[in-house]
Amino acid sequence: MAYRLLFRRLSPLLRSGSHLVPALNSALRLPRQAVINQNLAARLTGSRSMSSDNYDKQPEILNIQDEEDFEKRVIGSAKPVVVDFHATWCGPCKLLGPRLETIIAGQKGKVIMAKVDIDENVELAMRYNVQSVPTVYGVKDGKVLTSFIGLKEDDEIKSFVAGLM
């Protein structure tokens, strides 16, 4: 019975994933000083742990805010950048994003990923002729080298990323 109560309290939090540790403490009605281990929180949700040894292995992902931010962090980047133009309502975008992140994580910091929401950055999407989503560009030394549109298989994405290095 105690497990059912615990599960009912945790279910909405596990779905949202935001502010997980404080939310778990609150759901379990733990004192404010008590902190649930982030690794335990990650195991409960199936997400990645944010411990220092795993954090270094995470891909560098930039959420582009506006054109100025794009110029500074993508065009001005010393590393190659995979730019993912996506939309929150786009089904293929939801499938492609995690694939890109996983493949870029495998590059161990040699490549950066920038995510551009076309609904929030309309001018930027128009400037780069984004006519459908997902559209992915490979940028190196401030220049677009290659691109693809739509959902691709992992081996095609790996070849795309390898072509930037």
Side-chain angles (χ1 to χ4, degrees):
M1 181 137 167
Y3 291 112
R4 281 191 213 153
L5 177 62
L6 177 63
F7 182 74
R8 266 196 311 232
R9 288 185 184 161
L10 291 177
S11 291
L13 301 171
L14 296 176
R15 277 183 247 131
S16 72
S18 63
H19 306 295
L20 188 60
V21 173
L24 284 171
N25 286 336
S26 173
L28 296 172
R29 297 180 194 222
L30 296 173
R32 190 167 219 168
Q33 299 85 357
V35 176
I36 289 183
N37 182 319
Q38 287 185 333
N39 292 327
L40 173 61
R43 275 186 267 149
L44 287 171
T45 61
S47 67
R48 297 179 188 136
S49 169
M50 294 305 287
S51 66
S52 61
D53 58 329
N54 285 342
Y55 186 74
D56 295 337
K57 298 174 188 170
Q58 300 300 319
E60 186 175 352
I61 300 172
L62 311 173
N63 287 309
I64 302 301
Q65 305 301 314
D66 54 28
E67 289 187 56
E68 183 180 325
D69 189 32
F70 186 85
E71 287 292 325
K72 179 180 165 189
R73 295 167 61 179
V74 174
I75 302 300
S77 175
K79 296 179 183 178
V81 182
V82 173
V83 183
D84 177 19
F85 285 93
H86 69 279
T88 56
W89 45 264
C90 168
C93 298
K94 292 177 184 178
L95 296 172
L96 181 64
R99 287 182 180 180
L100 284 169
E101 289 177 24
T102 302
I103 291 167
I104 290 173
Q107 299 302 314
K108 299 179 180 152
K110 296 176 188 171
V111 180
I112 298 171
M113 181 173 173
K115 297 175 109 177
V116 181
D117 187 325
I118 62 164
D119 293 327
E120 294 176 6
N121 297 288
V122 176
E123 297 84 16
L124 193 56
M126 287 178 17
R127 185 169 126 199
Y128 283 88
N129 291 327
V130 176
Q131 296 179 2
S132 62
V133 286
T135 296
V136 179
Y137 287 109
V139 178
K140 185 175 183 181
D141 299 326
K143 297 177 185 167
V144 175
L145 297 182
T146 185
S147 66
F148 69 84
I149 297 172
L151 190 58
K152 299 288 182 192
E153 295 296 323
D154 287 353
D155 58 337
E156 294 174 290
I157 299 169
K158 288 176 184 174
S159 295
F160 175 84
V161 172
L164 291 175
M165 303 211 275

